[in-house]
Structures are given as C-alpha cells and as structure tokens.
Amino acid sequence: MDLKEKLEHYRINSDEYEAIKKQLGREPQGVEWAIYSAMWSEHCSYKSSKLHLKKLFNSSPRVLQSFGENAGVVDLGQGERIAFKMESHNHPSFIEPYQGAATGVGGILRDIFTMGARPIALGNFLCFGEPHATRMESLVDGVVRGIGGYGNCVGVPTVTGQTEFHPSYNENILVNAFALGLFEKGKEVFLSKAHGEGNYVVYVGAKTGRDGVHGASMASESFDEDSESKRPTVQIGDPFYEKLLIESCLEVMEKGLVVAIQDMGAAGLTSSSFEMAAKGGVGLDIDLSKVPLRDSSLTPEDILLSESQERMLLVCEPGQFKDLEEVFHRWGLDASVIGTVTREEAIKLHWKGELLTQMDPQMIVESAPVYRRPFEKWENKWESATNFTSLAPSEPIEIIRKGLSSIEGCSRQWIYQQYDQRVGGQTRRDCESSISVIRLPQTERSVAVVLGCRPHVMRFDARVGGIDSVAYPALELAIKGFEALAVTDCLNFGNPEKSEPMSDFVAAVEGMSDMCRTITAPIISGNVSFYNETQSRNITPTPSTGVVGLREDFSDLPTDELLEEGLRVFWIRFKPEQNYFSGMWSDEKGEVASGQFNMDIDELANFTRCMRNLCSEPRVKASRMVGKYGLAYSLARFSMAGFGIEGQPGLKPEHYNREDFYGALIATHAEMTQEMAMEYIKDSCKDSPGKVEIIELGQSVRDRIAIDHWQIPCSEIKEIYCNSWRKHFESLA
Amino acid sequence: MKKIGVLRFPGTNCDRDIIQAVNESGGVGEYLWYQDRVDINQYDGFILPGGFSYGDYLRSGALAAQAPVMDDIREAASKGMPIMGICNGFQILCEAGLLPGALMRNTSSRFIDKWVNLEMISPHQFFGGQRISKGEVVHFPIAHADGRYYIDERELSGLHDNEQVWLTYKDNPNGSVANIAGVKNKEGNVGGMMPHPERALFEWMGGSEGLMIFL
C-alpha cells in the first residue's frame, strides 16, 4: 500500500497524518496505523462534537457519575442508585438489521453492568423510512427480531420504545438502544480507571474473531452504494454468552475481586485498553498472543480492532485472580491474564515475543484532534411569522380516521408483542403505555422511563426540536406524577463536515441543554452518531433522549385511557396563542408547519411542575398528552378502552387542525363536582399564571365520543388503531 | 413454611421472579445450581423457572434436561414430590420425559408477549390446588417463541382421560394442540405451563391471580 491508499484504508486525513507524525516524531508503523485509525475515529474521539458537548448541562446533587464513564449514575436518595445510557447502532443495523440491532442491545447492556448495576430495563428508539421503500419491510422485521432475540434471551425486560417513519430515513434507519440498571442498597459503583502497579489485566468472555474489524471507523463515514460490501464489519451477538457475562461480572464485583472494568465495545481491545490506562494515568503491558482467539489466523491488527461481542477487560490483584477465575469457570466462561499494569505511562503491545509498539495512552486519548466544524448560529425565524396553513382534514372524525390509520399514528403492538416486557417481575407499565414504569424491588417507589424526540418538530426547527426532546417526555412523566431526574441522549445527525447538519446539531444540543438546566434534569450520558448520510442525503436531525423519572409513593398511576363512566375530562392548554403549528398535518418537508413560536422555557418548566402537582394525586384518574395529531386524535386514543366522552364544549376548527404543543387531557375523579375539579386544576396551575387555558370537554360515557356535533363509536377507533399496521406492512402481519 | 428449590441453569432468567413469587406466597425459595446434586428431602417441592437455558441451543430445554441436577428431579418426581416448570421450565420437563408432549415454534414463528385468558381444566394437587376451581378463567401473561404444545392424537385422548390437561387458552395464541397451555404427568405431581403466573402476583403488575399458583 502506498501512503494514499494507507490513509484511505485507515480513514485518516492528511492533517491528522501530519499530527500523528509530529506526535511520534516519525512515521507510524505497523499496528500504530490501526490504533490511530480507531482512537481518532469520530466514533471514539467525538472530534466534531466535543466542543459542543462540553457545554451540556450535566450535574446536579443527584448525579454521581456523568460523561467519561460507561454510563451516568444517579442517586435515588434512599441508598439505591441507577445507571443508564442510550447508544446508536444505525450503520450496522442498516447493513445487517438482525445482528446490528441485537448487538446494539448487547453493547448498551454491557455499558450498564460494567459499572456494577444490574440491568432492569431496555428501550429502543427506531426511525424507519416509508413502509414501501426498498428493503424497508425486511429492515423493520430484522431490527425488531434482533432486539427481541437479544433482550428476551438475556432476561432484561424491554419496557418502552418509540418508532418513527419518514422518507428521510429510507436509506439510513436509526436504531438507538436504551438501558437502565439498578445498584441496590450497598452495591458499589465500578469504574474503568486502571491502577495498581503489577495488577493483572484480565480478558473475559467470548473469544476474539474477525467480526467488526474496522467497525468504529465504518460508523464514522457516510454510506455509498456499496454498503453491502461492509457486511463483514458488523458484529455477531450471542445473548446467551451475555447473560453468563452479566451474572459472572456482577458476582466478581460483589465479591470485591475487581479493581477496574471496561467492556470491549467500539474499537474493541484498542479502545478499552487505551482508555483504562489513560484514565488511571498508568501503563499496560499486553501480550496480544495471549488473547483467546476464535481463528488462529488473526493478525495483531485484527485482534486490536476486532469488535467481537460479549468481551470484557478487567484489572484484578494477582492474589485474587484464582477466586475470580473460579467464578467465571462456574458460569462456563474463561478468564485469561493478558497483561499487567505498569507505572510507566505506556501501552506496550507484544506479539510472540516481539514488542510491536510502545505508545503513550494519554497522548493518543487526550490529544485526539478536535474540530471546530463550521456552523451557522440559530435564529428565531418564527417569532413574527404569520403564514399558517394546516393540511388537516376539516372534520374531527376525518382527522381521527386518518391519524389512526396512518403508519405514524397506528398501534405498534406488532413490534412490542415480540419483546419480553415483564421478566424481572417489576414492570408496572409496559410498552403499551405512554411511559414505562418499573417498581424498585421491595420498595414503594418506582422509576419511569420515556423516550423523547419528535422528528417532525426537528424538521420544523432544530432548537425547538432540541427543547422538545426533553420537554415533551418530561411532561409525559409529569402527567403520571413522576419527576424527571436525569436524561441520556443519542444524537443522530448527518455529515458534520457540512454546515447545515452541523448547525442543526449545535442548535439542537443547546436547546436540549437549556431545557435540562431549567427543569434540573442533567444529561448524564449518551453518544453521538454523525454521518447519517447516504449518497449526500442527510436524515432528519434526530436527537433522541431517554428521560428517567422517579415517583416516591405507590398510589395508582393515572391511566392512559378512560376506564370508567362519570369522569370529568378537561383539556389543559399551555400558551394556546402560540400553537400556530400543524404538527403532523404538514407536507413532507414540514414546510407548511410554520407559525409563531417563541417558547419560553422557564414558563414551560413551571407548567411541567404544575402538571406534576396536579397529576400526583388520586383525584386525577386518567391523563394523556395531546401530541402531534392534535386534539381529535388524542381524544380517540383516550377512548380506546370502551369509554368515550360526551359534552358540548363548543370547539372551533382551529381547536382541531393544529398541534397543541404541550397540551394534556386530564380526567378527574367521578366524585368531584365540576366546581371542585375546576378549582383543583386552577389551584394546581396557579404558578403558571396567564399561560394556561382550561377547557372542560365533558364527562366520560360508555362506548362513544360525542362532542358538539360529531360522534364516533369507541369500537371503530379501536378497530382502526389496531388493524392499520398490517395494511402498511402486509407481509409482516 | 414450605421450602421450594428453584433451579438455575445457565441462561435461566426468571429465577429471581420465582423467588419473589414463592416469598410473596409465604414460602421460602432457595436456588439450586444445575451442576450440583441435591438432597431432595430438604425441600417440599421444586420449580423450574423460565428463560433461555443454554441459549435454546439445539432445542429449547434439550440441553438442560441432561444436567446433573435433573437426576435428582427425576427421583423427586418418582417419589411424588411437587414439581412445576414454567415456560422454559415446562420445555425442560418435556425434554426430560417427565411430562408428555413437546413445545414447538409458535405458528406465527415469532416471540409473543401478551396477557391471555386461561381456563382451569384440572387443578394441580399442589400448585394452586383448589384455589382456582375447575372451569374458572384466570389472566396470566405469556412470553415465548416456542410455546406451541404438540402431542399426537392417541396420547392426547390419554391426557384428557387421565385429567392431565391443567390449563387451556381461551384464545389460542400459538397454535397449541387442543389449546393446551399446561399439562401434568399421570400421577399429577409434576406440572408444566407456558404462561407466567409469577408475573401476575399483584394488581400493579396487571393482575394478581397468579399468586394462587404459589400458595
């Protein structure tokens, strides 16, 4: 290979090549090429996003661990802590959907139990293209089977998800996996910082194979026509092995046999060893010929870059190795000493008696390139906008029928029925619900998870969309009485070397961070996925989030649907004068979805608090956000269980044909009179003066919605909602 | 207080849930490791939890059925001790020859997680006993890909004649022969079911009728 071919093969640009030469004082040699390629890839180094991520709001008294470790850790206040994170597996899932999605789940689980937390909940945020786009049915099928195949087998319930469809994902789907783990009282948090001269470096788990070699750098570039040829870069997962790893790793940690631990994820052994050493300010002496191999023809470079799954690297004291090995053997796994910790800050890599290279881990990790990619500063183009056209049908019934039968608005039951949502025995609310709820074992408290980011809002405006990625899920939690504690994000964007995707990135991240600060829910973990671009077409910028909430009492949660007669149903609207936005009722580019918009995030935070106060009491029996299709569609969803609403609120067309940005439907206890209910709601909303409009819609009745001059039977609603999926995906029914 | 041995194979994942169910019902659950031998006299009964023992390699339950601990379970079964297998535990008991029939891939070829209605056909003498009476309908979740119960016609009529059908689905989700969700051995001390009663202990789980199975 000449130099040009080499740079291309290792995906290193000429400026980076010059920087490497300067660092080393010479040309890189042998495996050094591979190490730089991996460690300086966008995927591992965050070189385009670092400058902006540094500004994220990431701390609060509850946060024990933020960025820099495998996952963030939050204190729940009574001895328990939770760790959670979200991560993308977009590129591999598009190339090979089953394995791509499965290993996405496996990878995010390892980030959690690496820290000593037992994984107790999984979620997934998926964005697909149009149902009839090329390969889309098989992509949907493969991704869903992959998530289920892995999650079901490891025995961690998949409790929540969000699935979006839009043409901008036709050639670049998004698969983001979320995982949450629990440290029960007294359990220690483990970090990846290697230390203790003379300690062993131990390799555990599956043997190393050729799969995933160059995976990290593959994920750091755009797709072209031959994505097919990249299939060998996708890893193959084995959830059974992962289950054994979970149990054995938690056991050795509990027995105090572990000094430091890190999973081998992106860029495998290279990234885990360099990061463990750099964090600890130590060196590692590693003999690559001791790494257990699946295939004896693997070269040192393959071993360094392999992304074979279900592998961990840990540091233990020599005197404790025997006990450690015994635990792994009991679980049917091998533990191999492949090196030692040294005082000298150098990673020395040996191969069959030969020293391949000696490199300073700090130098590689800390002095990775940081790019100030060009972007344009966000401006509010909406404040004075007056053009507004809604493409919504004029009749509420038509809105309901169209919304419920669309791929965006129909039931996702086909998807989540393939996931085990209850293993672990703590699930209070599953995938069918607006938020998922897990009981903390043996307590009266519950944590809730809801995923955020509404791509149609991102298409409207990146900053507003960024705010919304936190604000909307926080409100979904609030109307079930949960307080948002912290956030994880998975920032899926296009090519950062182009101004538009980079500008969207900066605006969205700032919006998210500002909202998080205002509600004191810090961003504690996450990842960035750039280059979601295929043949120069970028995806909708999609900063997905996982927002985790806590509720201290065990009273009944407001239901998502009306379950009895006689409840009083109210529509609570936040700043209705600003709702000149047609949500889903826009053209493909979201261009008709324009309008006045000047969201005051302090007011929004106040409103969220008010809604939580309101919905924390048993006086509220049911609650639901109004959401992207506006009032009529959410009334239909509210009425799915056979109880609808009857009333004469005197609504006008503009109440139906636009998105009610942060409005909610609330149903109060049947024993409350109209005056009592109104008084209660007003009192709860008093800290949000002048910003809230309360409209009484009517009372819950059996079998139908009958509002003003229109009506529809609950049975028709349910029929359309439940049966529309198979019309879009005929072969998947 | 009854003491129940809860078997753990590599890949078992409902073990903690079963312990929770046994404890909630006033008993004591104790883990038993698949490679160890067990003094069966120390226990009042045994439960084989769900999961993916050996990652479902070969066939669901086939490898676990050969584990050392199963020799003791066979002995306990022959002595008339109560033994219950749930989901993968049911598959293991069939593979071990302790229960008739076999579990095959669902007709949809997909994993299915949902709540189903089950009819009590013939109560198990220990698990649930008379708390759920004949003909009563209960509501438990299922979560399996290999849950289609199969047995040939001749043996099926034997099952009915001997009152070995424990539970049936009201609305067959997986293509099981004769809607069968759970069966017992001839003697009635060994039972297996695909649904998960341990996931229906409290109203907050979505239903609480499962608790009766463990009382």
Side-chain angles (χ1 to χ4, degrees):
Chain A
M1 263 192 273
D2 66 16
L3 181 63
K4 191 167 164 278
E5 284 168 350
K6 240 179 182 165
L7 291 177
E8 209 165 283
H9 178 72
Y10 290 106
R11 297 167 172 99
I12 292 171
N13 68 33
S14 51
D15 290 345
E16 288 165 354
Y17 174 63
E18 291 305 320
I20 292 169
K21 276 204 297 191
K22 212 169 139 196
Q23 259 192 6
L24 294 172
R26 57 173 167 80
E27 298 256 323
Q29 287 161 3
V31 293
E32 291 167 355
W33 279 100
I35 292 167
Y36 276 108
S37 168
M39 296 304 292
W40 285 16
S41 68
E42 185 70 56
H43 198 83
C44 291
S45 72
Y46 291 86
K47 57 193 171 192
S48 301
S49 56
K50 218 172 201 169
L51 281 176
H52 304 283
L53 297 180
K54 271 189 189 157
K55 296 183 212 151
L56 285 177
F57 173 67
N58 65 3
S59 63
S60 82
R62 281 189 187 273
V63 175
L64 301 177
Q65 193 59 242
S66 188
F67 288 96
E69 276 298 334
N70 289 292
V73 179
V74 174
D75 189 353
L76 295 183
Q78 292 182 14
E80 310 106 332
R81 286 153 296 175
I82 48 172
F84 63 89
K85 190 185 181 182
M86 198 166 181
E87 209 166 61
S88 62
H89 235 218
N90 306 334
H91 289 74
S93 301
F94 187 72
I95 298 170
E96 215 301 286
Y98 185 95
Q99 290 299 341
T103 55
V105 175
I108 195 67
L109 283 170
R110 282 192 295 284
D111 280 336
I112 300 303
F113 71 78
T114 301
M115 304 201 71
R118 174 172 285 279
I120 58 167
L122 283 168
N124 52 76
F125 186 102
L126 311 175
C127 296
F128 295 113
E130 297 158 294
H132 295 297
T134 316
R135 289 180 68 215
M136 202 49 64
E137 285 199 343
S138 72
L139 287 170
V140 171
D141 189 31
V143 165
V144 171
R145 281 185 192 266
I147 291 170
Y150 208 99
N152 298 347
C153 182
V154 293
V156 181
T158 297
V159 291
T160 191
Q162 187 175 331
T163 309
E164 300 285 341
F165 294 89
H166 190 267
S168 77
Y169 305 110
N170 278 359
E171 287 158 287
N172 192 134
I173 60 169
L174 302 184
V175 174
N176 297 174
F178 169 95
L180 179 143
L182 173 68
F183 301 89
E184 286 179 3
K185 250 178 231 178
K187 294 278 162 72
E188 199 184 328
V189 176
F190 285 82
L191 303 179
S192 58
K193 191 173 139 184
H195 57 98
E197 192 184 350
N199 279 345
Y200 285 170
V201 178
V202 182
Y203 172 115
V204 292
K207 291 181 169 54
T208 295
R210 210 180 292 276
D211 50 332
V213 172
H214 286 296
S217 50
M218 180 268 295
S220 305
E221 63 173 24
S222 306
F223 274 149
D224 48 29
E225 275 161 350
D226 66 333
S227 65
E228 204 48 17
S229 68
K230 290 178 176 160
R231 198 165 284 173
T233 56
V234 178
Q235 313 88 320
I236 308 296
D238 181 346
F240 172 56
Y241 234 93
E242 179 102 335
K243 171 68 175 164
L244 302 178
L245 258 191
I246 294 177
E247 298 303 332
S248 54
C249 286
L250 291 177
E251 192 173 327
V252 291
M253 289 190 247
E254 191 172 338
K255 287 184 169 158
L257 304 173
V258 175
V259 172
I261 182 166
Q262 165 85 41
D263 72 303
M264 290 189 235
L269 182 59
T270 306
S271 154
S272 51
S273 57
F274 276 80
E275 278 177 19
M276 286 180 89
K279 277 180 194 151
V282 295
L284 302 177
D285 215 332
I286 292 177
D287 186 352
L288 294 175
S289 28
K290 290 192 175 152
V291 171
L293 301 182
R294 216 182 285 162
D295 170 355
S296 62
S297 71
L298 255 58
T299 64
E301 182 175 316
D302 293 337
I303 296 170
L304 282 166
L305 293 185
S306 164
E307 293 187 3
S308 288
Q309 299 289 291
E310 295 94 22
R311 302 179 304 159
M312 310 288 272
L313 197 63
L314 60 85
V315 172
C316 84
E317 289 175 16
Q320 293 188 316
F321 178 71
K322 231 183 145 34
D323 292 343
L324 181 121
E325 192 183 26
E326 204 177 291
V327 173
F328 284 109
H329 278 172
R330 195 171 141 80
W331 286 99
L333 300 176
D334 287 327
S336 319
V337 178
I338 63 162
T340 49
V341 177
T342 59
R343 196 191 317 198
E344 184 190 2
E345 281 185 42
I347 300 236
K348 289 184 188 166
L349 298 173
H350 304 268
W351 175 251
K352 297 181 175 164
E354 184 195 340
L355 177 67
L356 293 178
T357 181
Q358 172 169 346
M359 294 172 102
D360 179 353
Q362 295 279 356
M363 180 176 85
I364 308 280
V365 175
E366 301 302 328
S367 29
V370 175
Y371 293 132
R372 190 178 295 276
R373 304 279 192 203
F375 67 93
E376 277 172 41
K377 231 182 138 27
W378 179 83
E379 277 175 57
N380 188 349
K381 349 185 238 289
W382 311 111
E383 208 165 351
S384 57
T386 47
N387 289 343
F388 179 77
T389 330
S390 172
L391 297 183
S394 55
E395 291 300 319
I397 292 181
E398 284 315 304
I399 291 180
I400 290 174
R401 288 182 181 141
K402 219 170 156 177
L404 291 173
S405 59
S406 71
I407 189 60
E408 294 87 357
C410 70
S411 170
R412 268 76 175 123
Q413 192 187 45
W414 180 88
I415 296 178
Y416 60 71
Q417 230 177 44
Q418 299 183 53
Y419 304 149
D420 189 335
Q421 302 161 58
R422 272 160 270 279
V423 60
Q426 309 299 339
T427 304
R428 285 182 78 186
R429 289 285 172 89
D430 59 18
C431 292
E432 194 177 346
S433 313
S434 57
I435 66 168
S436 66
V437 180
I438 302 280
R439 182 181 77 140
L440 292 169
Q442 278 131 40
T443 73
E444 297 281 278
R445 307 184 316 147
S446 301
V447 289
V449 184
V450 57
L451 305 184
C453 183
R454 298 190 292 171
H456 75 279
V457 187
M458 284 301 300
R459 286 189 284 275
F460 165 66
D461 183 295
R463 177 176 163 82
V464 176
I467 293 171
D468 184 76
S469 295
V470 175
Y472 193 80
L475 262 165
E476 286 183 290
L477 290 173
I479 62 167
K480 305 295 175 191
F482 283 82
E483 181 189 7
L485 292 184
V487 178
T488 181
D489 64 22
C490 189
L491 306 167
N492 309 276
F493 286 79
N495 185 345
E497 295 163 41
K498 294 180 184 169
S499 169
E500 199 187 316
M502 196 61 208
S503 307
D504 287 342
F505 177 80
V506 176
V509 165
E510 283 177 1
M512 286 173 67
S513 182
D514 289 350
M515 192 67 221
C516 285
R517 182 178 289 110
T518 317
I519 58 170
T520 326
I523 300 175
I524 58 159
S525 60
N527 101 313
V528 180
S529 169
F530 277 132
Y531 298 98
N532 289 289
E533 178 195 50
T534 303
Q535 292 167 31
S536 296
R537 283 185 297 276
N538 288 300
I539 57 157
T540 300
T542 314
S544 65
T545 57
V547 182
V548 174
L550 177 69
R551 184 163 171 166
E552 305 268 355
D553 66 291
F554 209 68
S555 34
D556 289 343
L557 306 172
T559 56
D560 283 350
E561 289 154 357
L562 299 167
L563 297 180
E564 58 187 299
E565 280 178 280
L567 305 180
R568 286 181 194 282
V569 181
F570 295 87
W571 179 18
I572 303 180
R573 311 182 70 197
F574 174 65
K575 296 188 86 171
E577 76 280 4
Q578 287 218 337
N579 281 322
Y580 291 93
F581 185 79
S582 61
M584 293 302 287
W585 305 116
S586 57
D587 67 8
E588 266 178 18
K589 294 175 197 146
E591 278 171 0
V592 187
S594 62
Q596 193 186 27
F597 204 97
N598 184 24
M599 192 50 80
D600 179 325
I601 55 177
D602 289 314
E603 288 173 2
L604 187 50
N606 271 337
F607 179 65
T608 308
R609 257 188 296 278
C610 293
M611 293 305 280
R612 185 164 72 87
N613 289 339
L614 176 69
C615 298
S616 296
E617 296 223 15
R619 281 183 271 190
V620 170
K621 300 287 279 181
S623 60
R624 167 173 286 279
M625 293 295 289
V626 170
K628 62 188 176 190
Y629 282 109
L631 179 67
Y633 174 84
S634 42
L635 282 174
R637 294 284 304 275
F638 214 26
S639 307
M640 198 79 72
F643 292 90
I645 303 147
E646 197 172 72
Q648 296 289 326
L651 299 177
K652 300 186 177 68
E654 60 264 34
H655 286 118
Y656 293 113
N657 67 13
R658 48 193 68 174
E659 175 160 1
D660 185 51
F661 235 78
Y662 296 116
L665 298 173
I666 301 292
T668 57
H669 206 287
E671 283 163 22
M672 290 174 84
T673 63
Q674 187 193 5
E675 291 73 29
M676 280 163 71
M678 201 55 147
E679 193 56 32
Y680 174 55
I681 294 171
K682 278 189 179 153
D683 188 52
S684 302
C685 294
K686 69 177 187 298
D687 289 335
S688 222
K691 307 292 185 296
V692 177
E693 183 187 2
I694 303 159
I695 299 176
E696 187 183 1
L697 296 173
Q699 280 188 285
S700 62
V701 293
R702 273 184 193 279
D703 301 335
R704 66 191 183 120
I705 301 179
I707 289 184
D708 296 328
H709 306 294
W710 61 276
Q711 56 173 306
I712 186 169
C714 296
S715 55
E716 183 186 338
I717 294 169
K718 187 159 185 173
E719 206 274 323
I720 303 175
Y721 181 69
C722 294
N723 294 326
S724 293
W725 171 273
R726 68 178 65 124
K727 288 175 188 148
H728 297 284
F729 286 105
E730 282 153 17
S731 71
L732 296 184
Chain B
M1 203 175 346
K2 60 183 181 184
K3 190 165 145 191
I4 303 291
V6 179
L7 274 64
R8 293 178 102 187
F9 300 91
T12 297
N13 65 27
C14 301
D15 39 352
R16 298 156 62 88
D17 316 22
I18 294 295
I19 295 281
Q20 170 172 272
V22 171
N23 292 348
E24 274 310 319
S25 64
V28 181
E30 201 177 281
Y31 289 130
L32 301 177
W33 188 241
Y34 75 111
Q35 283 170 322
D36 297 341
R37 299 304 298 261
V38 178
D39 176 3
I40 56 172
N41 299 317
Q42 300 283 311
Y43 300 91
D44 299 306
F46 302 92
I47 297 179
L48 287 74
F52 286 73
S53 58
Y54 294 91
D56 272 359
Y57 290 148
L58 191 57
R59 281 190 311 276
S60 314
L63 295 173
Q66 307 302 322
V69 73
M70 289 305 290
D71 288 341
D72 301 311
I73 295 301
R74 280 192 191 88
E75 192 193 336
S78 68
K79 288 189 168 164
M81 294 179 74
I83 296 168
M84 169 166 66
I86 295 169
C87 199
N88 187 227
F90 182 18
Q91 293 161 345
I92 295 169
L93 290 174
C94 289
E95 286 285 346
L98 291 171
L99 287 174
L103 280 314
M104 301 172 69
R105 184 57 36 126
N106 297 344
T107 40
S108 67
S109 89
R110 295 180 188 277
F111 189 96
I112 305 172
D113 173 305
K114 67 174 188 181
W115 287 82
V116 296
N117 286 323
L118 300 158
E119 184 176 343
M120 178 58 75
I121 303 299
S122 164
H124 190 284
Q125 50 182 284
F126 303 106
F127 296 103
Q130 297 303 318
R131 284 181 190 86
I132 306 169
S133 46
K134 210 171 179 150
E136 205 175 316
V137 173
V138 290
H139 193 52
F140 298 163
I142 55 165
H144 58 244
D146 294 330
R148 176 161 62 95
Y149 186 74
Y150 178 77
I151 194 162
D152 68 32
E153 265 177 51
R154 193 177 50 85
E155 283 186 280
L156 178 64
S157 61
L159 281 192
H160 286 301
D161 295 345
N162 299 324
E163 299 203 341
Q164 282 175 258
V165 177
W166 188 358
L167 296 151
T168 55
Y169 300 107
K170 294 300 281 181
D171 188 5
N172 195 339
N174 52 24
S176 291
V177 164
N179 303 323
I180 289 173
V183 296
K184 300 179 287 179
N185 63 351
K186 249 183 202 147
E187 296 71 25
N189 62 315
V190 181
M193 68 167 93
M194 287 312 294
H196 289 272
E198 80 279 15
R199 299 182 184 185
L201 303 177
F202 308 101
E203 283 309 318
W204 60 259
M205 289 180 161
S208 59
E209 292 161 333
L211 190 61
M212 291 187 284
I213 294 291
F214 298 93
L215 285 170

